[in-house]
Amino acid sequence: MATKEEQPQALENKEEPKEDGELPLVVVLRPKSFNLPLEDRLQSHFHLLDPNDSPDESIESFLSRRAHSARALLCVGLTPLTADTLCLLPSLELVVGSSAGVEHIDLHECRRRGITVTGASAAFSEDAADYAVALLIDVLRRISAADRFVRGRLWPVKGEHPLGFKLGGKRVGIVGLGNIGSQIAKRLVAFGCSIAYNSRKKKPSIPFPYHANVWDLAANSDVLIVCCALTEDTHHIINKDVMTALGKEGVIINVGRGPLVDEKELVQFLVRGEIGGAGLDVFENEPDVPKELFKLDNVVLSPHCAVVTLESFAALQDLVMANLKAFFSNKPLVSLVQNE
């Protein structure tokens, strides 16, 4: 992940300031520890209302006192946006998300209030897809394990490293064929994999086979790649039954959210050898990772960084700016979160 020092350097294409005057109000909700890399760009076009600028005042007091007429809100990272917070913003019409998922935003309340929500998965989709494929290749070909084998000076002692498995020809089931899932499919088709998918509904324009439930998808796949949104319905969507259906040679890759997978069950399946391997970028209780996974050579672990590159930060800033500008210009939004 880029450091705080690196992020601004990658994004120095600041836009020319407008004349100071009646700039549109935009509320910014962010963690106190997070510096806003695009602050200068935003301030050229919008008047920002950031509760962190008033550290001696509660967020509730700040919003009630200063944001009554604000029509747009930028939700930075995974900052929770609850119904109680939304209640303090009676004029709100738009929430601009800046993360790949939107589970931290109360979509039900936004829908009830008629508040439009935009997401940022489009900014991250290519990099996340690259990472998912990289994890899969690593698990199948045992690249990280081979690296440890050489660095541990085991090659002269043990001789040949265990063989891995070919990627081409694998049946890959993608759980969630949105922006990220579609990019993963595009890449794996080029490797000669056959693709099937599960999503909230069948997509008429997609040529790949659709499975209405994940169990059927797993039963007809060698690999499951999990990249769907985390909701009440998708919590532990990869459960014991799905892992059993995937089988002893099956591989699970998760670049979505940790709670999409029943982590305790996955650990047991891996320890008992009842599943072939896993590539995990996300976990249920981050940054805590089950210690049982550390000693398994068929598991590749990553610290929730699949979507993060210098380029994705640049794309994210452009996307946030585009959505806010479109909203205040009465133009179509760029990355609308669909209400399904």
Side-chain angles (χ1 to χ4, degrees):
M1 181 179 293
T3 65
K4 290 180 181 177
E5 290 78 19
E6 290 175 319
Q7 291 172 16
Q9 293 174 3
L11 308 163
E12 291 179 344
N13 54 329
K14 299 173 184 175
E15 301 180 18
E16 291 296 322
K18 290 183 176 181
E19 293 293 324
D20 192 20
E22 293 297 323
L23 297 179
L25 295 178
V26 175
V27 175
V28 177
L29 290 187
R30 63 181 174 89
K32 290 182 179 180
S33 60
F34 189 89
N35 294 325
L36 195 61
L38 73 164
E39 186 170 7
D40 289 345
R41 291 182 70 185
L42 287 168
Q43 287 179 335
S44 298
H45 299 272
F46 312 105
H47 179 68
L48 304 183
L49 296 176
D50 186 347
N52 288 326
D53 292 338
S54 299
D56 296 330
E57 185 176 10
S58 70
I59 292 178
E60 292 77 13
S61 173
F62 179 93
L63 295 179
S64 297
R65 187 172 59 85
R66 301 191 57 188
H68 190 271
S69 63
R71 298 171 57 212
L73 179 148
L74 170 59
C75 188
V76 178
L78 297 178
T79 306
L81 182 55
T82 65
D84 289 340
T85 300
L86 290 168
C87 185
L88 302 172
L89 302 164
S91 301
L92 193 65
E93 299 175 28
L94 173 69
V95 172
V96 176
S98 65
S99 64
V102 291
E103 70 274 9
H104 55 293
I105 298 172
D106 191 331
L107 295 180
H108 176 77
E109 180 64 11
C110 287
R111 198 171 299 128
R112 187 189 72 80
R113 291 255 313 263
I115 298 170
T116 302
V117 179
T118 65
S121 63
F124 298 118
S125 58
E126 292 187 351
D127 295 319
D130 290 346
Y131 210 87
V133 174
L135 285 173
L136 177 56
I137 293 174
D138 196 336
V139 173
L140 291 175
R141 298 302 307 273
R142 301 178 177 176
I143 297 171
S144 291
D147 179 80
R148 291 190 294 272
F149 187 80
V150 174
R151 291 176 188 271
R153 302 175 185 266
L154 297 177
W155 193 2
V157 178
K158 294 191 174 182
E160 296 299 320
H161 187 259
L163 295 176
F165 299 91
K166 181 179 179 179
L167 174 58
K170 289 289 184 291
R171 301 171 301 162
V172 179
I174 299 176
V175 183
L177 203 70
N179 286 320
I180 294 173
S182 297
Q183 290 291 335
I184 292 171
K186 177 181 177 181
R187 284 153 175 73
L188 289 177
V189 165
F191 276 99
C193 297
S194 59
I195 306 297
Y197 75 99
N198 166 267
S199 197
R200 284 173 291 190
K201 58 179 68 174
K202 185 175 183 180
K203 301 176 183 291
S205 61
I206 299 299
F208 309 126
Y210 170 73
H211 293 269
N213 66 74
V214 179
W215 189 94
D216 284 339
L217 181 67
N220 290 279
S221 299
D222 304 307
V223 176
L224 285 183
I225 299 183
V226 187
C227 52
C228 61
L230 176 61
T231 67
E232 290 182 3
D233 292 333
T234 60
H235 183 269
H236 283 187
I237 192 171
I238 309 301
N239 56 26
K240 179 179 180 179
D241 291 340
V242 171
M243 295 177 208
T244 301
L246 185 61
K248 292 188 67 172
E249 302 300 323
V251 172
I252 291 175
I253 305 295
N254 189 4
V255 293
R257 290 286 187 263
L260 293 169
V261 177
D262 187 333
E263 191 170 88
K264 289 183 179 180
E265 285 292 346
L266 177 60
V267 168
Q268 292 305 309
F269 268 69
L270 288 165
V271 168
R272 296 194 300 256
E274 295 175 356
I275 199 169
L280 307 173
D281 181 55
V282 288
F283 305 89
E284 285 214 60
N285 299 296
E286 297 174 0
D288 296 329
V289 177
K291 62 181 184 301
E292 296 92 337
L293 301 179
F294 295 158
K295 59 186 178 182
L296 299 178
D297 275 346
N298 59 339
V299 178
V300 179
L301 306 173
S302 171
H304 200 154
C305 59
V307 303
V308 182
T309 64
L310 291 173
E311 293 84 356
S312 69
F313 272 120
L316 171 61
Q317 291 195 22
D318 290 342
L319 186 62
V320 167
M321 290 296 299
N323 277 313
L324 286 170
K325 285 184 175 181
F327 173 73
F328 287 111
S329 301
N330 294 315
K331 294 180 180 178
L333 296 168
V334 179
S335 56
L336 189 66
V337 173
Q338 298 297 328
N339 291 333
E340 296 184 30

